[in-house]
Amino acid sequence: MRDFTARNPRTGVHDWRGNALDPPEVGDVAARLRDGQATWEARGAISRLEVLRAFGQALRRHAEPIGAALETDTGRRRIARLEIDSVVGSIEGWARVIAADAPPAWVQGRGLPSVRHITAWKAYPLVGVISPWNFPLLLGMIDAVPALLAGCAVLMKPSEVTPRFVAPVIAALAEVPDLAAVFAVVTGDGITGQAVIDAADCVCFTGSVATGRKVAVQAAGRLIPAFLELGGKDPLIVLQGADLEAATDAALRGSVLSTGQACQSIERIYVARSIHDAFLARLVQKAEATRLNWPDIAFGEIGPIIFDRQADILATQIADARDKGARVLTGGEIETHGGGRWLRPTVLTGVTPDMLVMRDETFGPILPVVAFDTLDEAVLMANDGEYGLSGAVFAASLDEAETIGRRLLAGAISLNDAALTAIFFEAAKQGFKSSGLGPSRMGEDGYRRFLRRQALIANTAPPVPLGAFSEEGLT
């Protein structure tokens, strides 16, 4: 076991110290969870749901310390509370999925009428979940809850950048012993994460493309599935005739909510040239009115940059854009307040495809705006690049937005809004290109991905004897 520290993003001080589990310790936890998994799976989905509901109630009872820990981890208050609400609410969302799940029925064979088959579903015994720092509780539990409901045991390792919430969540988990037998949350770094992959039968990872590739390679070496939700560079296309008030509201929120520290944030904005100037003027006005939540966390809309190195990435992208001719219309400087690092909404114009801010994931409140002349040009620019997580289209009508949305190479397209996957979890979608691997974590697929399909095949006639395959008698 090794010590590690965590930084408070509002003060810049490393004021938390904890333990990173070494591989043997991870193996011990995994073995304990495996011991309880068969009994957990045998309970059936309805019984498991009741246990998860009890856990949701325990999270509610511990909401104050969990919320306070998330607040310190991330430097924001309202979204910290919303993370807890979202996790508890998701349990009922998955309840509706299993309630609608019809039991399998026997199917008679077409080629061999005497043979029939039925599907059985078998849970992966142990699922490893490795979650990121931007939504520390939610993005771990978005995988852990359906996996537990499916009958898996789950070993979850949150990011070492935001570990404070783990202790109060473990306290809540201790109040539900049936779940604690098959669900553990451990702290640690990359070494701990690698050990989780080595211990699991299936791994869920949310994070950067670079780390996701490493997770995929390690999982492939063990021949286990890797379900990856990776980075994005989401485009927003605003067509002529769109409601500019609504479009600029959605563009700003979709880009800077959570300080832009979300994989589905809007990071490129393409606007029809006829409305470009009017759109830009309104967007700048709204961006300038957005407030940092400093010095009072109960004030404003923009929190600090959670991960210190991310601030350096943002500064590099802005400097690169400036050097290559872009203009900063508002924002544009990393600010230091109280030891934390902050960036106000930064609107750029005069950007070109070769700039880092148009190619690399930003993960911050930067809004590059580009004019287009034709719809084909807009679609071509939106589809350019290695990412395909999500995107958005604003148009005068839903039909027009849908027509363009279907042409975008991304897994989820918000129509006449932006970043809807941040609040709506019912629609199944996948990451395109480098933005993901494996089934959707949303919709029915988000539950089914943790179940392996088993075929039970029955013959209602006498078995065929070996002599039926004798070489004699062929003509």
Side-chain angles (χ1 to χ4, degrees):
M1 189 175 291
R2 293 156 289 114
D3 286 352
F4 72 103
T5 62
R7 171 182 172 274
N8 184 322
R10 293 183 68 83
T11 66
V13 177
H14 286 257
D15 55 4
W16 183 92
R17 182 176 295 276
N19 297 318
L21 269 66
D22 289 322
E25 295 165 313
V26 172
D28 290 343
V29 176
R32 175 179 67 80
L33 299 177
R34 285 184 181 279
D35 286 344
Q37 187 271 329
T39 301
W40 174 249
E41 184 175 7
R43 295 180 71 131
I46 300 302
S47 176
R48 294 192 296 268
L49 174 61
E50 291 309 309
V51 176
L52 284 165
R53 282 173 168 155
F55 179 53
Q57 293 168 2
L59 290 175
R60 290 280 191 215
R61 290 192 294 272
H62 290 261
E64 184 174 345
I66 294 171
L70 290 170
E71 179 180 312
T72 305
D73 272 335
T74 63
R76 60 200 184 204
R77 174 168 291 171
R78 182 179 294 274
I79 291 174
R81 271 52 178 186
L82 286 174
E83 283 197 61
I84 302 169
D85 292 340
S86 295
V87 170
V88 176
S90 75
I91 295 172
E92 293 308 315
W94 293 117
R96 289 190 289 273
V97 170
I98 65 168
D101 202 13
W106 285 97
V107 178
Q108 184 172 335
R110 292 186 295 271
L112 293 171
S114 66
V115 175
R116 57 180 183 166
H117 64 95
I118 192 170
T119 296
W121 299 97
K122 305 292 288 182
Y124 287 99
L126 180 61
V127 173
V129 175
I130 303 173
S131 57
W133 48 261
N134 53 333
F135 297 94
L137 175 66
L138 176 61
L139 290 183
M141 299 300 287
I142 202 171
D143 292 316
V145 169
L148 289 162
L149 185 57
C152 311
V154 174
L155 175 55
M156 184 171 104
K157 189 207 84 71
S159 169
E160 61 270 32
V161 176
T162 51
R164 301 168 211 259
F165 77 99
V166 172
V169 166
I170 290 175
L173 183 59
E175 296 181 3
V176 191
D178 286 356
L179 191 63
V182 290
F183 181 35
V185 186
V186 299
T187 54
D189 53 12
I191 294 173
T192 310
Q194 290 171 9
V196 169
I197 300 170
D198 282 339
D201 303 297
C202 165
V203 62
C204 301
F205 172 80
T206 307
S208 69
V209 171
T211 305
R213 291 185 194 279
K214 296 176 182 177
V215 171
V217 168
Q218 186 177 348
R222 296 194 56 240
L223 295 180
I224 64 170
F227 305 148
L228 310 179
E229 177 96 354
L230 306 179
K233 191 70 186 170
D234 290 4
L236 164 64
I237 297 176
V238 184
L239 305 183
Q240 181 176 336
D243 181 330
L244 289 186
E245 196 65 27
T248 48
D249 277 346
L252 183 66
R253 189 208 75 237
S255 299
V256 311
L257 183 65
S258 303
T259 319
Q261 298 166 126
C263 54
Q264 81 288 338
S265 292
I266 296 298
E267 296 195 356
R268 298 173 291 150
I269 303 173
Y270 302 102
V271 184
R273 192 173 300 278
S274 60
I275 59 171
H276 171 271
D277 292 350
F279 176 94
L280 194 60
R282 293 192 194 193
L283 183 63
V284 169
Q285 182 182 35
K286 292 175 181 181
E288 289 176 338
T290 304
R291 306 160 298 171
L292 302 183
N293 69 352
W294 175 264
D296 184 357
I297 196 172
F299 173 88
E301 298 82 28
I302 298 290
I305 299 163
I306 297 171
F307 188 31
D308 192 34
R309 289 205 294 270
Q310 195 64 37
D312 297 331
I313 292 171
L314 301 181
T316 297
Q317 289 193 5
I318 293 169
D320 174 77
R322 278 186 165 127
D323 290 346
K324 293 175 179 174
R327 288 190 301 132
V328 177
L329 301 185
T330 186
E333 301 294 335
I334 302 295
E335 303 177 19
T336 300
H337 300 286
R341 303 178 77 184
W342 312 69
L343 178 63
R344 299 178 190 273
T346 297
V347 179
L348 303 178
T349 189
V351 292
T352 53
D354 62 311
M355 296 178 181
L356 295 177
V357 76
M358 297 299 285
R359 309 297 304 180
D360 296 346
E361 185 174 31
T362 295
F363 228 64
I366 302 178
L367 300 84
V369 181
V370 178
F372 67 83
D373 293 304
T374 68
L375 293 180
D376 286 346
E377 180 189 11
V379 170
L380 185 65
M381 289 190 293
N383 285 337
D384 184 31
E386 70 167 307
Y387 297 99
L389 188 64
S390 43
V393 181
F394 250 95
S397 69
L398 184 59
D399 286 347
E400 185 181 16
E402 179 188 352
T403 298
I404 299 302
R406 289 179 180 275
R407 297 176 63 185
L408 299 185
L409 301 178
I413 309 299
S414 299
L415 304 179
N416 287 347
D417 206 331
L420 286 176
T421 56
I423 58 174
F424 185 76
F425 299 157
E426 297 172 29
K429 55 94 179 177
Q430 293 176 270
F432 289 19
K433 301 189 233 182
S434 295
S435 286
L437 181 68
S440 174
R441 74 194 325 179
M442 299 179 182
E444 182 182 336
D445 291 353
Y447 169 71
R448 283 284 185 210
R449 64 191 163 135
F450 298 112
L451 297 168
R452 295 162 295 174
R453 184 188 293 268
Q454 181 185 60
L456 301 175
I457 308 170
N459 185 12
T460 60
V464 177
L466 177 61
F469 297 92
S470 174
E471 300 293 354
E472 289 87 0
L474 291 177
T475 58

